[in-house]
Amino acid sequence: MAIFERFTRLKSASRFLQYTTALCPAHSWAPTRGPLLRPAGWIQHRCVHGERSEASSAAPPRRPFSQVTPADLDFFRQLLPGRAITDPDVLESSNVDWLKSVKGNSEVLLRPKTTDEVSRILSYCNQRNLAVSPQGGNTGLVGGSVPVFDEIILSTALMNQILTFDSISGILTCQAGCVLESLSQYLEEQDFIMPLDLGAKGSCHIGGNVSTNAGGLRLLRYGSLRGTVLGLEVVLADGRVLNCLATLRKDNTGYDLKQLFIGSEGTLGVITAVSILCPRKPKSVNVAFLGMLQYFLTFQACRGMLGEILSAFEFLDASCMNLLEKHLKLTNPITESPFYIVIETAGSNAAHDEEKLHNFLEKVMTSSLVTDGTVATEEAKIKALWSMRERITEALRHDGYTYKYDISLSVEKIYDLVTHMRERLGDRAQNVVGYGHIGDGNLHLNITSPSKDPALLAAIEPYVYEWTSQYQGSISAEHGLGLKKRNYIYYSKTPEAVTLMGNIKAMLDPKGILNPYKTLPDDIC
Amino acid sequence: MAIFERFTRLKSASRFLQYTTALCPAHSWAPTRGPLLRPAGWIQHRCVHGERSEASSAAPPRRPFSQVTPADLDFFRQLLPGRAITDPDVLESSNVDWLKSVKGNSEVLLRPKTTDEVSRILSYCNQRNLAVSPQGGNTGLVGGSVPVFDEIILSTALMNQILTFDSISGILTCQAGCVLESLSQYLEEQDFIMPLDLGAKGSCHIGGNVSTNAGGLRLLRYGSLRGTVLGLEVVLADGRVLNCLATLRKDNTGYDLKQLFIGSEGTLGVITAVSILCPRKPKSVNVAFLGMLQYFLTFQACRGMLGEILSAFEFLDASCMNLLEKHLKLTNPITESPFYIVIETAGSNAAHDEEKLHNFLEKVMTSSLVTDGTVATEEAKIKALWSMRERITEALRHDGYTYKYDISLSVEKIYDLVTHMRERLGDRAQNVVGYGHIGDGNLHLNITSPSKDPALLAAIEPYVYEWTSQYQGSISAEHGLGLKKRNYIYYSKTPEAVTLMGNIKAMLDPKGILNPYKTLPDDIC
């Protein structure tokens, strides 16, 4: 097994860099369009559904919600002693998103500890017609987790209790404000892991993860939160508590109401507790970094030969590698190739996993599918190999202004978009690169320029959305719509679907107080 | 590996018996209560939510829908030449459910081939206020797939085309009327399998599977349809076509509308096409049949040591074994034990899988968790071992009249219900047995009596539902509510949740024409 011994030492990814892996998707509109939070910069888009629609990431005008009065503050202070915050310094960080691309002007931050408190807050706000912006770890990338105007910020930060864990079934129940990394640490002590892992795990809340249907690195293996979340407790806009906090793998008694709240970005209710099915901690983890001419056949061989132990299949192209070498001085651990793949295996028997991986590598290298490769089994070396994938975002930052897109497509089509954009943009772009969770059909297309370039942007958009829509892709694979992408929804959803979304919103939140200006397009709300 | 060689030859399960494995859940009310399809036999239940509610599996009065006129028949015959059936002989089998426990009086059976035809049918029926009973393979067990009165039967039987299959991603797209077994055969030729497997696979339609959120034997490994179904095409009550037929693993552009239709039993829309993520066909399958004093620790050890290759963990108790021996003359392949477990592994490397299984067996037998066991790797022997689990329903039929319950509970609690019922019923019951998908927390509790026994039934119900509700269980783990269980919903759902279900129904089907009298309790519709 010579290939197991061939390993080039690389710098480990720092904590910070792991965090920045969540930076990849499209969130570059705000800086390119007029002043933030003003209804400026409307862009004409030709919708591939045959209609022309106006779409923009800029905020619409403030809706006629009430404004917070001293009497309202008295109510909040009485309900939440010491936890109804009006100090501008404390509010500062809650008013701005992690990317510092959207900034609200909220003057009230509420920190409930219990579901009952959330219920009383929403009941009051609904009666008073006060808008509310629910907030978890505020690590979202589409402006979904901060107020747009003066919405009251409802933080889950103090709702951070683990309620139960069943080590037989692996089912965890906890409050919505538990930090993902804290839950992971708790579970690892009990020989389990969370079914999701994100770059932002040190800050993000499980309630926010569920509200945004977060994807991340483990989706290929453990599936989406729609399968692993077993139950939710949700407070509706009028304060009613919807207890669907089941801890059962199977329950076919009526409509699965919790699904309405998974991925609806806090626009339909505030998630206050979550039950989730957690897998056992794998006993063995291996990582391989491979170079190849094309990835289709390798992916097929990989699924066939690594089967049940495959836990990640990530890719980057040669342009990404050039940027890693140029800006971060990373050394390519293998010979140059058009494509590079990071494969991770996770299993219950180290010898078996290594043998499977060895057989796979032998096959793909013998058949010339893979041109070169290296493998790591130790934790430090695994982190080093992962950094070739995780530090791309950092390398892109050094390359100039970056236009970022987070696209879902069939695996066959996924790289065609990068090729098309390269051909279309020619010398107008500095670099056009592709990387991402290819095992999930999720491409991160990034286009760099020495500085902001409206002409380049016009050449990218709406072409990139039209192209994606033409091939039945999604314009937001994993980060939702939030404020920034709400008006691009028609590229991925039919008008009938968007209308039905509006009906659901109107049914559950008739006054529209929950996370206004998010998720739904301006022509619906 | 001596244990691998120790195998007692058993009769193979016949095709028929495989089919009857779907018979297990609670569907025994109808024969015990007054005439079918009449609002008779109302039973007083004490609801554990602190309220008293009337609940019954008998049908409520016919709602004031229109009746089919000659003009309606003309419309249907013109739209569907030769496929608008009024022949009573042909209608006979579509009017009655598979268990012959619910019988409708529909005089029209429609067999559309396309989504457009379904759309025109529903648009017309909605305008005319004609009720519609959607029907797939009609293998449901709770009276959900047949008309209750004279509803028009809308069959998906001729919508049986496979639309696309992507052998890289494993994503299949097909019409709703494809038979599950046909899809399985198609996929197996391409080295894939369906992520679900049911006893009724020879008849059931994928659209019906999705509409009822079918569970089955592969749920432990591949998760529920809420994770594996990637897209749906649905015709709404007014004929609008909702195209959410995505073929993407990741799509976070707005609310996941397809989830509304998974498991809603045709009450919110008619599913016309499905896209679903299919796993690779495993290269190696092993089955072990083990005896033990208790199953908790064995389940934990099994999950830890078999990990990613565990594909089934089913159980039966000693009472089940007694019935298999007494009525079917099956021979217990191992020594007598309080509990028996069927473990199946499915993996990509036969040698690895056998070694893992051997290590596990060695550990559990050395530590006395398992008292005896036998293992099969050949297909015929595997089927024979499976028959010890699959033929329990048949054995119960021979034991007398059977009261059947399909309960979801935490794995720790699951057998306590059987013990409690045994203690409670004493000599009044002939046998109280437990078996089921214990790996999923799904118990099939069956209670036999020489004949129908209202006093015994009164001792069972509502106690069994109250007990289940007390421990946050579900009164229908996998077969839905349909007609028979609709009024028991409050044992598993809160009033707030049921009210919200009613709101959703009213929003999507304001006239209530879609599958009336099903899923929602009588006090909501």
Side-chain angles (χ1 to χ4, degrees), chain B residues 323-358:
Chain B
L323 297 182
L324 290 169
E325 290 174 321
K326 179 178 176 186
H327 298 300
L328 305 185
K329 311 300 176 200
L330 293 186
T331 305
N332 183 348
I334 59 176
T335 54
E336 283 189 10
S337 307
F339 296 102
Y340 303 90
I341 295 283
V342 184
I343 289 172
E344 186 186 79
T345 68
S348 59
N349 185 306
H352 291 173
D353 294 359
E354 287 193 10
E355 192 180 326
K356 283 191 181 81
L357 185 56
H358 175 73

mmCIF file of all heavy atoms in Angstrom, chain B residues 323-358:
data_model
loop_
_atom_site.group_PDB
_atom_site.id
_atom_site.type_symbol
_atom_site.label_atom_id
_atom_site.label_comp_id
_atom_site.label_asym_id
_atom_site.label_seq_id
_atom_site.Cartn_x
_atom_site.Cartn_y
_atom_site.Cartn_z
ATOM 1 N N LEU B 323 -46.151 -19.476 18.292
ATOM 2 C CA LEU B 323 -47.205 -19.508 17.269
ATOM 3 C C LEU B 323 -46.661 -20.023 15.934
ATOM 4 O O LEU B 323 -47.359 -20.753 15.220
ATOM 5 C CB LEU B 323 -47.811 -18.114 17.081
ATOM 6 C CG LEU B 323 -48.519 -17.505 18.299
ATOM 7 C CD1 LEU B 323 -49.115 -16.143 17.956
ATOM 8 C CD2 LEU B 323 -49.603 -18.442 18.824
ATOM 9 N N LEU B 324 -45.432 -19.642 15.597
ATOM 10 C CA LEU B 324 -44.817 -20.147 14.350
ATOM 11 C C LEU B 324 -44.688 -21.667 14.403
ATOM 12 O O LEU B 324 -44.927 -22.363 13.408
ATOM 13 C CB LEU B 324 -43.420 -19.522 14.149
ATOM 14 C CG LEU B 324 -43.374 -18.033 13.811
ATOM 15 C CD1 LEU B 324 -41.940 -17.512 13.921
ATOM 16 C CD2 LEU B 324 -43.914 -17.771 12.407
ATOM 17 N N GLU B 325 -44.284 -22.159 15.569
ATOM 18 C CA GLU B 325 -44.094 -23.618 15.716
ATOM 19 C C GLU B 325 -45.440 -24.339 15.744
ATOM 20 O O GLU B 325 -45.619 -25.360 15.093
ATOM 21 C CB GLU B 325 -43.323 -23.895 17.011
ATOM 22 C CG GLU B 325 -41.862 -23.444 16.941
ATOM 23 C CD GLU B 325 -41.136 -23.578 18.277
ATOM 24 O OE1 GLU B 325 -41.753 -23.297 19.330
ATOM 25 O OE2 GLU B 325 -39.946 -23.951 18.264
ATOM 26 N N LYS B 326 -46.391 -23.753 16.480
ATOM 27 C CA LYS B 326 -47.677 -24.416 16.680
ATOM 28 C C LYS B 326 -48.515 -24.437 15.399
ATOM 29 O O LYS B 326 -49.054 -25.481 15.009
ATOM 30 C CB LYS B 326 -48.447 -23.691 17.790
ATOM 31 C CG LYS B 326 -49.829 -24.262 18.095
ATOM 32 C CD LYS B 326 -50.476 -23.484 19.251
ATOM 33 C CE LYS B 326 -51.891 -23.991 19.499
ATOM 34 N NZ LYS B 326 -52.585 -23.166 20.511
ATOM 35 N N HIS B 327 -48.625 -23.289 14.746
ATOM 36 C CA HIS B 327 -49.566 -23.187 13.627
ATOM 37 C C HIS B 327 -48.927 -23.445 12.266
ATOM 38 O O HIS B 327 -49.590 -23.907 11.346
ATOM 39 C CB HIS B 327 -50.225 -21.805 13.622
ATOM 40 C CG HIS B 327 -51.031 -21.525 14.842
ATOM 41 N ND1 HIS B 327 -52.107 -22.305 15.215
ATOM 42 C CD2 HIS B 327 -50.916 -20.565 15.803
ATOM 43 C CE1 HIS B 327 -52.630 -21.827 16.337
ATOM 44 N NE2 HIS B 327 -51.924 -20.779 16.725
ATOM 45 N N LEU B 328 -47.661 -23.125 12.109
ATOM 46 C CA LEU B 328 -47.017 -23.272 10.797
ATOM 47 C C LEU B 328 -45.985 -24.401 10.786
ATOM 48 O O LEU B 328 -45.378 -24.669 9.753
ATOM 49 C CB LEU B 328 -46.342 -21.953 10.389
ATOM 50 C CG LEU B 328 -47.242 -20.707 10.378
ATOM 51 C CD1 LEU B 328 -46.472 -19.508 9.843
ATOM 52 C CD2 LEU B 328 -48.495 -20.937 9.546
ATOM 53 N N LYS B 329 -45.791 -25.022 11.937
ATOM 54 C CA LYS B 329 -44.839 -26.134 12.067
ATOM 55 C C LYS B 329 -43.416 -25.725 11.680
ATOM 56 O O LYS B 329 -42.629 -26.550 11.197
ATOM 57 C CB LYS B 329 -45.271 -27.350 11.232
ATOM 58 C CG LYS B 329 -46.732 -27.776 11.421
ATOM 59 C CD LYS B 329 -47.031 -28.161 12.866
ATOM 60 C CE LYS B 329 -48.509 -28.494 13.064
ATOM 61 N NZ LYS B 329 -48.904 -28.402 14.494
ATOM 62 N N LEU B 330 -43.112 -24.462 11.820
ATOM 63 C CA LEU B 330 -41.733 -24.031 11.592
ATOM 64 C C LEU B 330 -40.878 -24.510 12.760
ATOM 65 O O LEU B 330 -41.356 -24.636 13.887
ATOM 66 C CB LEU B 330 -41.640 -22.511 11.490
ATOM 67 C CG LEU B 330 -42.311 -21.854 10.287
ATOM 68 C CD1 LEU B 330 -41.992 -20.348 10.247
ATOM 69 C CD2 LEU B 330 -41.860 -22.494 8.982
ATOM 70 N N THR B 331 -39.637 -24.788 12.452
ATOM 71 C CA THR B 331 -38.718 -25.226 13.501
ATOM 72 C C THR B 331 -37.833 -24.064 13.922
ATOM 73 O O THR B 331 -37.201 -23.417 13.082
ATOM 74 C CB THR B 331 -37.818 -26.366 12.977
ATOM 75 O OG1 THR B 331 -38.660 -27.404 12.487
ATOM 76 C CG2 THR B 331 -36.911 -26.897 14.083
ATOM 77 N N ASN B 332 -37.837 -23.812 15.200
ATOM 78 C CA ASN B 332 -36.940 -22.785 15.734
ATOM 79 C C ASN B 332 -35.497 -23.196 15.412
ATOM 80 O O ASN B 332 -35.039 -24.260 15.843
ATOM 81 C CB ASN B 332 -37.148 -22.695 17.255
ATOM 82 C CG ASN B 332 -36.310 -21.600 17.895
ATOM 83 O OD1 ASN B 332 -35.405 -21.048 17.270
ATOM 84 N ND2 ASN B 332 -36.616 -21.297 19.153
ATOM 85 N N PRO B 333 -34.772 -22.401 14.645
ATOM 86 C CA PRO B 333 -33.415 -22.815 14.245
ATOM 87 C C PRO B 333 -32.394 -22.740 15.371
ATOM 88 O O PRO B 333 -31.262 -23.206 15.214
ATOM 89 C CB PRO B 333 -33.069 -21.830 13.125
ATOM 90 C CG PRO B 333 -33.882 -20.608 13.413
ATOM 91 C CD PRO B 333 -35.135 -21.091 14.064
ATOM 92 N N ILE B 334 -32.782 -22.154 16.479
ATOM 93 C CA ILE B 334 -31.853 -22.044 17.615
ATOM 94 C C ILE B 334 -32.588 -22.444 18.893
ATOM 95 O O ILE B 334 -33.768 -22.773 18.851
ATOM 96 C CB ILE B 334 -31.269 -20.609 17.724
ATOM 97 C CG1 ILE B 334 -32.408 -19.589 17.904
ATOM 98 C CG2 ILE B 334 -30.434 -20.266 16.499
ATOM 99 C CD1 ILE B 334 -31.927 -18.164 18.126
ATOM 100 N N THR B 335 -31.899 -22.409 20.027
ATOM 101 C CA THR B 335 -32.542 -22.781 21.288
ATOM 102 C C THR B 335 -33.534 -21.707 21.734
ATOM 103 O O THR B 335 -33.424 -20.544 21.345
ATOM 104 C CB THR B 335 -31.488 -22.995 22.396
ATOM 105 O OG1 THR B 335 -30.670 -21.827 22.479
ATOM 106 C CG2 THR B 335 -30.632 -24.194 22.105
ATOM 107 N N GLU B 336 -34.473 -22.126 22.582
ATOM 108 C CA GLU B 336 -35.526 -21.197 23.006
ATOM 109 C C GLU B 336 -34.967 -19.996 23.766
ATOM 110 O O GLU B 336 -34.038 -20.143 24.577
ATOM 111 C CB GLU B 336 -36.529 -21.926 23.906
ATOM 112 C CG GLU B 336 -37.468 -22.801 23.114
ATOM 113 C CD GLU B 336 -38.594 -23.356 23.978
ATOM 114 O OE1 GLU B 336 -38.736 -22.908 25.135
ATOM 115 O OE2 GLU B 336 -39.317 -24.238 23.478
ATOM 116 N N SER B 337 -35.554 -18.841 23.501
ATOM 117 C CA SER B 337 -35.114 -17.598 24.155
ATOM 118 C C SER B 337 -36.316 -16.685 24.350
ATOM 119 O O SER B 337 -37.321 -16.820 23.647
ATOM 120 C CB SER B 337 -34.096 -16.865 23.264
ATOM 121 O OG SER B 337 -33.050 -17.707 22.894
ATOM 122 N N PRO B 338 -36.214 -15.713 25.261
ATOM 123 C CA PRO B 338 -37.310 -14.757 25.417
ATOM 124 C C PRO B 338 -37.497 -13.882 24.171
ATOM 125 O O PRO B 338 -38.604 -13.521 23.814
ATOM 126 C CB PRO B 338 -36.886 -13.909 26.615
ATOM 127 C CG PRO B 338 -35.899 -14.744 27.357
ATOM 128 C CD PRO B 338 -35.190 -15.555 26.314
ATOM 129 N N PHE B 339 -36.375 -13.546 23.511
ATOM 130 C CA PHE B 339 -36.426 -12.675 22.338
ATOM 131 C C PHE B 339 -35.572 -13.249 21.208
ATOM 132 O O PHE B 339 -34.536 -13.870 21.459
ATOM 133 C CB PHE B 339 -35.907 -11.262 22.665
ATOM 134 C CG PHE B 339 -36.746 -10.541 23.674
ATOM 135 C CD1 PHE B 339 -36.331 -10.447 24.995
ATOM 136 C CD2 PHE B 339 -37.955 -9.968 23.309
ATOM 137 C CE1 PHE B 339 -37.103 -9.790 25.937
ATOM 138 C CE2 PHE B 339 -38.734 -9.311 24.250
ATOM 139 C CZ PHE B 339 -38.315 -9.230 25.558
ATOM 140 N N TYR B 340 -36.018 -12.959 20.000
ATOM 141 C CA TYR B 340 -35.241 -13.333 18.808
ATOM 142 C C TYR B 340 -35.058 -12.089 17.941
ATOM 143 O O TYR B 340 -35.971 -11.267 17.819
ATOM 144 C CB TYR B 340 -35.961 -14.413 17.999
ATOM 145 C CG TYR B 340 -36.251 -15.658 18.803
ATOM 146 C CD1 TYR B 340 -37.448 -15.776 19.509
ATOM 147 C CD2 TYR B 340 -35.328 -16.711 18.860
ATOM 148 C CE1 TYR B 340 -37.729 -16.903 20.259
ATOM 149 C CE2 TYR B 340 -35.598 -17.838 19.602
ATOM 150 C CZ TYR B 340 -36.796 -17.945 20.308
ATOM 151 O OH TYR B 340 -37.062 -19.066 21.046
ATOM 152 N N ILE B 341 -33.872 -11.995 17.352
ATOM 153 C CA ILE B 341 -33.553 -10.836 16.507
ATOM 154 C C ILE B 341 -33.129 -11.329 15.128
ATOM 155 O O ILE B 341 -32.383 -12.312 15.015
ATOM 156 C CB ILE B 341 -32.382 -10.036 17.133
ATOM 157 C CG1 ILE B 341 -32.782 -9.427 18.479
ATOM 158 C CG2 ILE B 341 -31.873 -8.960 16.177
ATOM 159 C CD1 ILE B 341 -33.650 -8.206 18.400
ATOM 160 N N VAL B 342 -33.618 -10.638 14.091
ATOM 161 C CA VAL B 342 -33.088 -10.851 12.737
ATOM 162 C C VAL B 342 -32.230 -9.633 12.404
ATOM 163 O O VAL B 342 -32.726 -8.506 12.387
ATOM 164 C CB VAL B 342 -34.212 -10.977 11.693
ATOM 165 C CG1 VAL B 342 -33.616 -11.290 10.319
ATOM 166 C CG2 VAL B 342 -35.219 -12.034 12.089
ATOM 167 N N ILE B 343 -30.948 -9.890 12.171
ATOM 168 C CA ILE B 343 -30.035 -8.816 11.785
ATOM 169 C C ILE B 343 -29.638 -9.031 10.338
ATOM 170 O O ILE B 343 -29.268 -10.141 9.947
ATOM 171 C CB ILE B 343 -28.767 -8.821 12.677
ATOM 172 C CG1 ILE B 343 -29.125 -8.349 14.084
ATOM 173 C CG2 ILE B 343 -27.676 -7.944 12.076
ATOM 174 C CD1 ILE B 343 -27.987 -8.511 15.070
ATOM 175 N N GLU B 344 -29.730 -7.972 9.531
ATOM 176 C CA GLU B 344 -29.254 -8.065 8.147
ATOM 177 C C GLU B 344 -28.134 -7.061 7.949
ATOM 178 O O GLU B 344 -28.217 -5.927 8.424
ATOM 179 C CB GLU B 344 -30.389 -7.762 7.163
ATOM 180 C CG GLU B 344 -29.989 -7.996 5.710
ATOM 181 C CD GLU B 344 -31.064 -7.553 4.735
ATOM 182 O OE1 GLU B 344 -31.159 -6.333 4.473
ATOM 183 O OE2 GLU B 344 -31.805 -8.416 4.234
ATOM 184 N N THR B 345 -27.076 -7.496 7.274
ATOM 185 C CA THR B 345 -26.023 -6.565 6.868
ATOM 186 C C THR B 345 -26.027 -6.462 5.346
ATOM 187 O O THR B 345 -26.335 -7.435 4.653
ATOM 188 C CB THR B 345 -24.626 -7.014 7.335
ATOM 189 O OG1 THR B 345 -24.252 -8.203 6.619
ATOM 190 C CG2 THR B 345 -24.586 -7.277 8.821
ATOM 191 N N ALA B 346 -25.687 -5.276 4.841
ATOM 192 C CA ALA B 346 -25.591 -5.070 3.389
ATOM 193 C C ALA B 346 -24.403 -4.157 3.158
ATOM 194 O O ALA B 346 -24.341 -3.051 3.711
ATOM 195 C CB ALA B 346 -26.868 -4.446 2.849
ATOM 196 N N GLY B 347 -23.448 -4.622 2.376
ATOM 197 C CA GLY B 347 -22.230 -3.838 2.185
ATOM 198 C C GLY B 347 -21.600 -4.040 0.827
ATOM 199 O O GLY B 347 -22.153 -4.728 -0.041
ATOM 200 N N SER B 348 -20.414 -3.459 0.669
ATOM 201 C CA SER B 348 -19.757 -3.471 -0.636
ATOM 202 C C SER B 348 -18.606 -4.477 -0.703
ATOM 203 O O SER B 348 -17.967 -4.607 -1.744
ATOM 204 C CB SER B 348 -19.238 -2.060 -0.964
ATOM 205 O OG SER B 348 -18.336 -1.640 0.036
ATOM 206 N N ASN B 349 -18.326 -5.188 0.391
ATOM 207 C CA ASN B 349 -17.203 -6.127 0.402
ATOM 208 C C ASN B 349 -17.588 -7.321 1.285
ATOM 209 O O ASN B 349 -17.684 -7.203 2.508
ATOM 210 C CB ASN B 349 -15.950 -5.414 0.948
ATOM 211 C CG ASN B 349 -14.713 -6.290 0.888
ATOM 212 O OD1 ASN B 349 -14.718 -7.417 1.400
ATOM 213 N ND2 ASN B 349 -13.656 -5.774 0.277
ATOM 214 N N ALA B 350 -17.806 -8.470 0.653
ATOM 215 C CA ALA B 350 -18.324 -9.643 1.369
ATOM 216 C C ALA B 350 -17.407 -10.075 2.510
ATOM 217 O O ALA B 350 -17.873 -10.386 3.620
ATOM 218 C CB ALA B 350 -18.533 -10.791 0.389
ATOM 219 N N ALA B 351 -16.107 -10.089 2.262
ATOM 220 C CA ALA B 351 -15.177 -10.548 3.297
ATOM 221 C C ALA B 351 -15.216 -9.617 4.506
ATOM 222 O O ALA B 351 -15.237 -10.065 5.659
ATOM 223 C CB ALA B 351 -13.763 -10.621 2.722
ATOM 224 N N HIS B 352 -15.254 -8.314 4.226
ATOM 225 C CA HIS B 352 -15.314 -7.349 5.329
ATOM 226 C C HIS B 352 -16.601 -7.514 6.134
ATOM 227 O O HIS B 352 -16.585 -7.482 7.363
ATOM 228 C CB HIS B 352 -15.256 -5.914 4.781
ATOM 229 C CG HIS B 352 -13.924 -5.548 4.205
ATOM 230 N ND1 HIS B 352 -13.697 -4.368 3.537
ATOM 231 C CD2 HIS B 352 -12.736 -6.219 4.180
ATOM 232 C CE1 HIS B 352 -12.439 -4.313 3.147
ATOM 233 N NE2 HIS B 352 -11.834 -5.431 3.522
ATOM 234 N N ASP B 353 -17.698 -7.673 5.410
ATOM 235 C CA ASP B 353 -18.993 -7.759 6.097
ATOM 236 C C ASP B 353 -19.044 -9.011 6.975
ATOM 237 O O ASP B 353 -19.513 -8.959 8.122
ATOM 238 C CB ASP B 353 -20.139 -7.792 5.077
ATOM 239 C CG ASP B 353 -20.247 -6.483 4.318
ATOM 240 O OD1 ASP B 353 -19.448 -5.569 4.596
ATOM 241 O OD2 ASP B 353 -21.134 -6.379 3.450
ATOM 242 N N GLU B 354 -18.562 -10.124 6.442
ATOM 243 C CA GLU B 354 -18.579 -11.364 7.228
ATOM 244 C C GLU B 354 -17.690 -11.234 8.458
ATOM 245 O O GLU B 354 -18.023 -11.714 9.537
ATOM 246 C CB GLU B 354 -18.153 -12.548 6.363
ATOM 247 C CG GLU B 354 -19.239 -12.946 5.369
ATOM 248 C CD GLU B 354 -18.978 -14.289 4.711
ATOM 249 O OE1 GLU B 354 -18.061 -15.008 5.161
ATOM 250 O OE2 GLU B 354 -19.688 -14.610 3.748
ATOM 251 N N GLU B 355 -16.573 -10.582 8.284
ATOM 252 C CA GLU B 355 -15.671 -10.418 9.418
ATOM 253 C C GLU B 355 -16.304 -9.532 10.501
ATOM 254 O O GLU B 355 -16.234 -9.846 11.690
ATOM 255 C CB GLU B 355 -14.337 -9.823 8.950
ATOM 256 C CG GLU B 355 -13.264 -9.886 10.022
ATOM 257 C CD GLU B 355 -11.942 -9.289 9.546
ATOM 258 O OE1 GLU B 355 -11.625 -9.417 8.341
ATOM 259 O OE2 GLU B 355 -11.248 -8.680 10.384
ATOM 260 N N LYS B 356 -16.905 -8.455 10.068
ATOM 261 C CA LYS B 356 -17.582 -7.573 11.041
ATOM 262 C C LYS B 356 -18.675 -8.345 11.780
ATOM 263 O O LYS B 356 -18.812 -8.250 12.999
ATOM 264 C CB LYS B 356 -18.209 -6.366 10.330
ATOM 265 C CG LYS B 356 -17.242 -5.276 9.920
ATOM 266 C CD LYS B 356 -18.007 -4.020 9.485
ATOM 267 C CE LYS B 356 -17.058 -2.916 9.034
ATOM 268 N NZ LYS B 356 -16.567 -3.074 7.656
ATOM 269 N N LEU B 357 -19.459 -9.082 11.030
ATOM 270 C CA LEU B 357 -20.552 -9.834 11.644
ATOM 271 C C LEU B 357 -20.006 -10.890 12.604
ATOM 272 O O LEU B 357 -20.531 -11.080 13.716
ATOM 273 C CB LEU B 357 -21.405 -10.474 10.540
ATOM 274 C CG LEU B 357 -22.670 -11.202 10.988
ATOM 275 C CD1 LEU B 357 -23.584 -10.292 11.813
ATOM 276 C CD2 LEU B 357 -23.432 -11.750 9.775
ATOM 277 N N HIS B 358 -18.948 -11.550 12.187
ATOM 278 C CA HIS B 358 -18.332 -12.560 13.042
ATOM 279 C C HIS B 358 -17.833 -11.937 14.346
ATOM 280 O O HIS B 358 -18.069 -12.479 15.440
ATOM 281 C CB HIS B 358 -17.180 -13.222 12.287
ATOM 282 C CG HIS B 358 -16.406 -14.181 13.120
ATOM 283 N ND1 HIS B 358 -16.897 -15.417 13.485
ATOM 284 C CD2 HIS B 358 -15.176 -14.084 13.703
ATOM 285 C CE1 HIS B 358 -16.001 -16.046 14.230
ATOM 286 N NE2 HIS B 358 -14.954 -15.252 14.381
#
